[in-house]
Amino acid sequence: MATLKVHWKTVDTIAKKSTAVVTGEEETEEVTEETEAVLAYADKPILVYVCDDTTTCADSEKFETIVLADEKCALGVRAFHCFKMTPSQVDEDPILEGAGKSVPRVLLVDPTKMKVKSLETKDLKASKLFKGMKSVAGKFWKEKLDKVVKSHLKMLTEQDQLSNAEKTLAEKKARVAEDEKKLEKVKEEMKEVREKLAEIAKAQADLWKLTPKKKAA
């Protein structure tokens, strides 16, 4: 099965400022502005990987090469915005500040209730990470994350089988190159395999078109 990788986006903050206008006493017609922090990314749950490559982050390699290599975790992140932030950026973020202490750690953000769950270094295990992801994703998406991941894994197994079949047919094609009848048969079989692979790729893409429980405001 092909190695699955998490693609991180680097951001300074996950917040944006929302300005509310507040009018004072009528006779003075005084107008003031107040700002509050709101999510800049509210169309998906958010997963923030807190680590600073320039300082001590001893357990980051273990997390990135073992925990995130877990197929369930590597697939499950598709239901999230995945950001990488430094500890100082998190401390300055009005939504994330105060969430967790250790480095590295993972912060899971539920955009509907604006709740932040912290997984500290000691909890950065594949089983605990996926459990946390399921919990947060379940509050946002109608589809159950574990069922979607299970379906995708099944498709990956089928993809591997078809890819192996394609490789075998390519070798056979070279062997029967001088036999026109056999060559035509192999070409037809290769065409069928490639069509099935294309169907699976489309099904995988459709699988991750998840449905929010609530419509965006």
Side-chain angles (χ1 to χ4, degrees):
M1 192 173 289
T3 302
L4 301 167
K5 292 184 179 181
V6 179
H7 300 286
W8 302 100
K9 294 180 182 178
T10 302
V11 293
D12 296 327
T13 178
I14 64 168
K16 66 178 180 180
K17 289 184 177 180
S18 176
T19 303
V21 179
V22 181
T23 306
E25 296 180 3
E26 290 184 5
E27 58 269 21
T28 62
E29 293 185 353
E30 181 184 352
V31 176
T32 60
E33 290 188 351
E34 294 182 356
T35 60
E36 61 178 3
V38 296
L39 277 174
Y41 313 89
D43 59 324
K44 281 185 177 184
I46 296 172
L47 188 153
V48 179
Y49 176 36
V50 186
C51 187
D52 191 344
D53 295 332
T54 63
T55 59
T56 56
C57 195
D59 293 307
S60 61
E61 184 177 354
K62 178 182 177 182
F63 174 67
E64 293 176 26
T65 59
I66 298 177
V67 177
L68 290 178
D70 178 82
E71 293 168 346
K72 287 184 177 181
C73 292
L75 284 171
V77 296
R78 296 185 181 210
F80 294 76
H81 283 300
C82 294
F83 300 126
K84 192 173 185 180
M85 296 174 67
T86 65
S88 59
Q89 288 172 331
V90 170
D91 290 341
E92 295 172 4
D93 190 290
I95 294 173
L96 300 175
E97 61 178 337
K101 295 179 180 179
S102 62
V103 179
R105 67 182 182 275
V106 166
L107 305 178
L108 297 166
V109 184
D110 172 10
T112 56
K113 295 185 178 180
M114 292 292 284
K115 288 187 176 181
V116 183
K117 177 180 177 61
S118 176
L119 288 174
E120 302 292 329
T121 302
K122 63 181 177 62
D123 293 322
L124 291 183
K125 300 176 176 63
S127 58
K128 289 190 175 183
L129 176 59
F130 191 65
K131 182 178 179 180
M133 290 164 62
K134 281 196 301 180
S135 176
V136 173
K139 293 177 174 63
F140 189 87
W141 302 114
K142 289 183 179 180
E143 295 82 2
K144 292 186 179 298
L145 186 63
D146 54 345
K147 288 186 177 181
V148 174
V149 167
K150 185 177 180 180
S151 294
H152 196 129
L153 285 172
K154 186 177 179 180
M155 292 181 194
L156 286 177
T157 299
E158 190 175 353
Q159 270 183 322
D160 283 347
Q161 293 171 345
L162 287 168
S163 294
N164 289 334
E166 185 178 30
K167 182 179 179 181
T168 300
L169 287 169
E171 294 171 351
K172 186 175 180 180
K173 180 182 176 183
R175 293 196 303 270
V176 300
E178 302 301 321
D179 189 320
E180 186 174 339
K181 187 176 181 180
K182 289 183 178 179
L183 181 60
E184 191 62 33
K185 183 180 179 181
V186 170
K187 286 182 178 179
E188 187 61 34
E189 290 175 349
M190 291 181 73
K191 180 183 176 183
E192 291 177 3
V193 167
R194 287 168 182 165
E195 287 175 349
K196 288 179 181 178
L197 283 168
E199 288 173 3
I200 292 175
K202 183 180 182 303
Q204 287 174 338
D206 291 341
L207 186 65
W208 289 99
K209 293 177 181 177
L210 305 177
T211 312
K213 288 184 176 180
K214 294 182 179 180
K215 292 184 178 179

